[in-house]
């Protein structure tokens, strides 16, 4: 533990000022209650996540299911930690994803097949609460991008709301190109 604390202090001197800077920028734009900072911990070691947690960052995002699974189990002692899955999700990977500790949100639901598999896995492995999900929309219609087509969004949202009793649809996500186009118009 002493070794972690000394490493944590040096990490804290790097992580704390960066978190403070980001939170200050968020506060200038909107109320922090309306914006949730999700720290992407992809490829970062446990010590970085623990240091960020100690600095007050409790929401983390992961792109890869295996990495999320391993980190969520290794860091479950961090009682308020919340994990968001932000990577591409395939039906076959849903059971393992639903075994992750402190899984709070899946941000990349893009089909009824994925929603159904996630719902079934969460019923079996979840914590008894609804799992929050976001529908991912491919607004740019780029083949290499994941997400459902815009015209499929309503049907997918209806399916989640009516047929997935272990999931709670919270919002829809699209790819940044949509937001970049909006910013370029201003």
């Amino acid at each position: 533990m002493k070794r972690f604390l000394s490493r944590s202090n040096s990490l804290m001197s790097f992580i704390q000022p960066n978190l403070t800077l980001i939170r200050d920028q968020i506060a200038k734009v909107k109320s922090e209650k309306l914006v949730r900072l999700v720290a992407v911990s992809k490829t970062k070691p446990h010590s970085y996540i623990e240091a960020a947690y100690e600095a007050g960052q409790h929401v983390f995002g992961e792109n890869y299911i295996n990495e999320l699974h391993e980190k969520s189990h290794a860091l479950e002692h961090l009682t308020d930690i919340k994990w968001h899955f932000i990577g591409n999700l395939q039906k076959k990977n849903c059971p393992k994803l639903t075994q992750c500790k402190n899984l709070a949100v899946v941000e990349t639901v893009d089909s009824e097949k994925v929603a159904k598999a996630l719902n079934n896995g969460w019923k079996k492995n979840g914590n008894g609460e609804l799992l929050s999900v976001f529908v991912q929309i491919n607004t740019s219609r780029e083949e290499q991008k994941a997400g459902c087509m815009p015209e499929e969004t309503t049907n997918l949202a209806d399916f989640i709301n009516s047929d997935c009793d272990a999931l709670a649809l919270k919002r829809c996500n699209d790819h940044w190109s949509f937001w970049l186009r909006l910013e370029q118009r201003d």
Side-chain angles (χ1 to χ4, degrees):
M1 185 67 159
K2 191 173 191 176
R3 191 171 130 235
F4 170 73
L5 289 176
S6 65
R7 188 180 329 152
S8 177
N9 288 337
S10 64
L11 284 173
M12 191 67 75
S13 66
F14 171 75
I15 291 173
Q16 181 67 55
N18 286 310
L19 278 173
T20 300
L21 177 67
I22 292 167
R23 288 187 180 125
D24 289 347
Q25 291 173 346
I26 289 171
K28 287 178 185 175
V29 177
K30 291 187 176 185
S31 165
E32 203 167 321
K33 293 177 183 174
L34 300 175
V35 178
R36 174 169 291 134
L37 175 62
V38 178
V40 178
S41 56
K42 179 172 100 172
T43 73
K44 299 297 181 251
H46 299 168
S47 58
Y48 282 44
I49 298 166
E50 288 175 313
Y53 183 89
E54 288 177 23
Q57 179 62 38
H58 292 184
V59 182
F60 295 88
E62 275 297 333
N63 288 58
Y64 302 110
I65 291 173
N66 289 337
E67 197 169 340
L68 174 56
H69 189 270
E70 186 276 324
K71 287 178 180 177
S72 73
H73 286 266
L75 299 171
E76 73 177 298
H77 64 279
L78 304 176
T79 56
D80 287 341
I81 197 166
K82 301 286 184 228
W83 293 100
H84 286 220
F85 181 72
I86 59 174
N88 289 336
L89 182 57
Q90 297 175 324
K91 175 183 157 186
K92 67 181 181 181
N93 296 324
C94 289
K96 185 167 189 173
L97 179 60
T98 61
Q99 294 170 6
C100 294
K101 302 291 183 183
N102 299 309
L103 180 63
V105 180
V106 176
E107 296 192 14
T108 54
V109 175
D110 63 359
S111 71
E112 288 182 9
K113 289 178 184 178
V114 166
K116 185 175 181 178
L118 194 58
N119 187 66
N120 291 341
W122 194 249
K123 281 182 182 181
K124 181 179 177 185
N125 301 315
N127 61 12
E129 296 180 15
L130 296 177
L131 176 62
S132 295
V133 298
F134 300 169
V135 168
Q136 184 177 17
I137 308 166
N138 183 349
T139 56
S140 63
R141 299 180 180 276
E142 295 175 53
E143 286 185 31
Q144 70 273 20
K145 301 280 186 187
C148 68
M149 290 295 123
E151 62 272 11
E152 300 166 351
T153 305
T154 302
N155 288 340
L156 180 53
D158 289 344
F159 177 80
I160 293 169
N161 285 328
S162 64
D163 292 29
C164 299
D165 58 346
L167 306 181
L169 178 60
K170 296 295 183 179
R171 64 175 283 193
C172 297
N173 279 343
D174 67 355
H175 292 284
W176 285 108
S177 62
F178 175 76
W179 298 111
L180 292 174
R181 285 194 308 271
L182 284 178
E183 287 179 358
Q184 290 169 353
R185 279 194 246 161
D186 293 344

